[in-house]
Amino acid sequence: MPELKHLYLDYNGLTRTIPPRIWSLRKLQKLIVSNNKLTGDVVVDGFAAMSLTIIDVASNVLSGVIREVFGHLENLTDLLL
């Protein structure tokens, strides 16, 4: 899905981790996966989604550190953890 810009998967009862390949979508602008049951770390190895304006991963069961790469997102206006 190289042309994907907006991914809304909130309130779906999703479990497991956020698939690492999501972070490689270069044109992704909005990632909203809040209010699920996602676990684990917010993995950003191989991060290429530099067009992100909104990241909403709130109300899950995620753990780990906030990655430094989020500070390099020049267009990011909303980061909900």
Side-chain angles (χ1 to χ4, degrees):
M1 300 181 292
E3 299 298 318
L4 186 67
K5 292 183 180 178
H6 303 157
L7 182 59
Y8 294 88
L9 294 171
D10 51 332
Y11 294 98
N12 278 291
L14 299 174
T15 60
R16 300 197 182 192
T17 62
I18 298 171
R21 287 189 177 185
I22 285 177
W23 304 112
S24 68
L25 298 171
R26 295 183 186 276
K27 295 186 179 182
L28 188 64
Q29 296 173 3
K30 297 179 183 179
L31 173 64
I32 300 176
V33 294
S34 58
N35 297 291
N36 284 294
K37 298 173 185 170
L38 297 169
T39 60
D41 195 2
V42 179
V43 178
V44 293
D45 295 333
F47 193 93
M50 298 304 288
S51 297
L52 279 164
T53 59
I54 297 174
I55 300 172
D56 184 356
V57 296
S59 298
N60 281 290
V61 194
L62 298 168
S63 61
V65 300
I66 299 170
R67 303 296 176 113
E68 184 178 329
V69 72
F70 291 142
H72 298 287
L73 295 171
E74 295 179 1
N75 299 315
L76 191 67
T77 59
D78 296 84
L79 176 60
L80 297 108
L81 302 172

